[in-house]
Amino acid sequence: MKSVGNNLVKVVVGQRRVGKSFVLRQVLSQIVAGGVPAENTLYINKEFLEFSAIKSAEDLQSLYAAYKNRFSPQGRTYLFIDEIQYIDGWERFVNARSQDFAEPCEVFISGSNSDILSGELSTMLSGRYVRFEVFPYSFGEFCELTGKPQDASSFTDYVQHGALPELFNLDSEEMRRNYVESLKDSVMLRDVVQRYRIKDATLLNDLFVFLSNNASNLISFTNVVKSLKGQGRKTNYETVSTYAGYLENAFLIHSCPRFNIRGKDSLSGPAKYYMNDFSFHNYLYAGFGYGMGYLFENAIYLELRRRGYDVYVGELDGSEVDFVAIRNDARIYIQAAYKMEGESTIAREYAPLEKIRDSYPKFVVSLDEFRLPSNNGILHVRPWEIP
């Protein structure tokens, strides 16, 4: 982690079981390997039984004082707190320790809910933290784990499998299906139902199923309400919108708002939603006719997010550009097409990009074995070649 060695609080967020704890332990190991004495580090994981008694900021302070008394660390200490959202008032402790210049302490925290960065913490730290989001394995990591080459066949296997780390340790389809089901239930219960005191957990699950099976489609909550009511579910726009926000806070889904390319601003209203991992569809809802094209588009969205882009659905003169990806002052436009079979498909995928008059890079991404020549500056690339 490049940000080590300063007073910024490092905040690692992401869905449960994507590897946040592994990331924290990696950083800790690198710090010790770099010459920091082991006694200058303290690692607390709130999911470990040993730390179940730590429930408040005062408990954290007592544990930290006991650690300092027991090991007498000299110089900067490094404090890691995993799944910190289970500790009431933790913001006050983190703020106090990270800003203690007399006894410097570098703080690393993780959480399975994005709103740990809202409210009091952001107010207290006011820019004195840096956020890292952990996603399931990338295609490159998938190939490294499986020994597969980076080619179209491997990418198809990647999106039809799932990229949650634990899936690679399970030998059978049944075990993987049971794991994904239990993970989904755990996230729903602990990171949504209990956290937000959800009154209708069945509706929450129905909404997740709907969004899973309509990923990569433009979704209006008004239409979602109509669909759920058609299934006999009593709900309204406000509830559906709120529940979708909770699912996104728990990193089960990601919203992709629309972006006015000509006006250069985001648009309210309908948006696309993408799954945080393909396994939810592949192992739980595979019978809903969700095609490879949708999985492919979902994969491109996640890859752009991994690379640090803010991602939008582009709109220009009635045409839709699959992705407008913005990172600092850089911007790229992308059309995602699983396979471009025939001249009409090729023309359809290139047309929205050809309407854009600015000079930002433009790409058509597909898994075709052939590579089309540059067309008015639009490049044809494979998913692993996206800059």
Side-chain angles (χ1 to χ4, degrees):
M1 189 178 286
K2 297 179 181 179
S3 298
V4 173
N6 53 58
N7 289 326
L8 294 175
V9 177
K10 286 72 175 177
V11 184
V12 179
V13 295
Q15 180 196 294
R16 191 178 296 273
R17 300 290 176 264
V18 293
K20 299 187 300 297
S21 299
F22 180 77
V23 169
L24 289 186
R25 290 196 296 268
Q26 266 192 324
V27 174
L28 191 156
S29 297
Q30 291 169 4
I31 288 172
V32 173
V36 173
E39 59 267 24
N40 280 48
T41 66
L42 175 61
Y43 177 81
I44 301 167
N45 189 330
K46 266 298 292 175
E47 294 200 317
F48 289 0
L49 185 61
E50 292 86 345
F51 297 109
S52 60
I54 307 299
K55 298 180 179 179
S56 67
E58 290 74 21
D59 295 335
L60 273 175
Q61 179 55 38
S62 296
L63 177 62
Y64 184 71
Y67 150 74
K68 296 270 285 188
N69 184 61
R70 171 68 175 82
F71 292 99
S72 301
Q74 301 299 308
R76 180 183 293 267
T77 56
Y78 298 83
L79 175 60
F80 297 79
I81 311 174
D82 212 347
E83 299 296 354
I84 199 169
Q85 71 269 12
Y86 296 122
I87 303 173
D88 293 334
W90 59 266
E91 301 94 337
R92 291 181 287 113
F93 172 82
V94 167
N95 184 57
R97 295 283 66 77
S98 65
Q99 301 308 309
D100 187 345
F101 296 95
E103 297 182 5
C105 177
E106 194 159 347
V107 183
F108 303 77
I109 64 176
S110 82
S112 297
N113 200 290
S114 65
D115 66 8
I116 69 168
L117 285 174
S118 64
E120 193 172 356
L121 176 63
S122 59
T123 300
M124 282 184 172
L125 296 182
S126 184
R128 297 194 299 271
Y129 67 85
V130 57
R131 179 184 188 271
F132 303 91
E133 185 170 348
V134 179
F135 291 88
Y137 286 138
S138 67
F139 176 57
E141 291 166 329
F142 171 84
C143 291
E144 185 177 343
L145 282 165
T146 60
K148 295 177 181 289
Q150 287 196 349
D151 59 20
S153 176
S154 298
F155 198 88
T156 301
D157 290 343
Y158 169 62
V159 298
Q160 290 180 327
H161 179 270
L164 295 170
E166 188 60 32
L167 291 176
F168 295 84
N169 298 320
L170 303 177
D171 297 328
S172 70
E173 287 288 302
E174 182 179 3
M175 291 177 67
R176 288 191 282 269
R177 184 174 296 105
N178 289 338
Y179 172 75
V180 174
E181 180 75 46
S182 65
L183 173 61
K184 183 209 73 172
D185 290 345
S186 178
V187 174
M188 289 276 201
L189 177 63
R190 301 180 67 183
D191 297 325
V192 183
V193 174
Q194 292 180 352
R195 185 179 184 88
Y196 300 108
R197 297 178 176 87
I198 295 294
K199 296 179 180 179
D200 193 343
T202 302
L203 175 61
L204 179 74
N205 187 73
D206 289 346
L207 176 60
F208 179 68
V209 173
F210 181 93
L211 294 175
S212 296
N213 293 311
N214 288 277
S216 305
N217 288 323
L218 203 59
I219 290 175
S220 160
F221 286 141
T222 300
N223 292 334
V224 175
V225 171
K226 290 179 181 178
S227 176
L228 292 173
K229 284 185 175 180
Q231 301 170 30
R233 304 295 303 152
K234 293 182 179 180
T235 187
N236 55 53
Y237 182 97
E238 183 179 356
T239 300
V240 168
S241 176
T242 299
Y243 280 15
Y246 293 160
L247 290 171
E248 186 168 14
N249 286 347
F251 300 100
L252 285 171
I253 62 173
H254 301 278
S255 65
C256 187
R258 294 173 301 142
F259 184 88
N260 184 335
I261 294 175
R262 189 180 303 281
K264 299 181 181 180
D265 57 358
S266 59
L267 301 169
S268 59
K272 288 190 177 184
Y273 285 82
Y274 296 97
M275 294 295 99
N276 194 52
D277 189 67
F278 324 113
S279 59
F280 296 114
H281 167 73
N282 295 337
Y283 295 110
L284 302 184
Y285 314 121
F288 283 80
Y290 187 93
M292 267 299 300
Y294 294 102
L295 284 169
F296 182 77
E297 185 177 322
N298 203 138
I300 302 305
Y301 171 84
L302 292 173
E303 187 57 35
L304 290 168
R305 288 291 309 280
R306 282 190 195 91
R307 299 183 184 206
Y309 287 103
D310 294 322
V311 186
Y312 304 87
V313 180
E315 287 196 1
L316 179 63
D317 298 336
S319 295
E320 178 183 296
V321 176
D322 287 336
F323 299 118
V324 179
I326 301 172
R327 184 175 60 197
N328 299 323
D329 294 330
R331 182 189 303 179
I332 60 175
Y333 301 105
I334 288 179
Q335 283 293 101
Y338 173 53
K339 289 292 179 68
M340 294 196 291
E341 299 170 342
E343 293 296 327
S344 61
T345 303
I346 293 172
R348 185 183 70 241
E349 297 300 334
Y350 275 80
L353 297 176
E354 290 172 339
K355 290 183 177 182
I356 303 173
R357 297 306 177 192
D358 63 41
S359 59
Y360 291 112
K362 304 170 185 67
F363 302 91
V364 172
V365 183
S366 81
L367 282 183
D368 295 291
E369 295 298 331
F370 61 84
R371 188 188 297 272
L372 295 170
S374 175
N375 183 347
N376 294 320
I378 303 169
L379 300 180
H380 178 209
V381 300
R382 278 73 171 181
W384 53 93
E385 297 170 338
I386 297 172

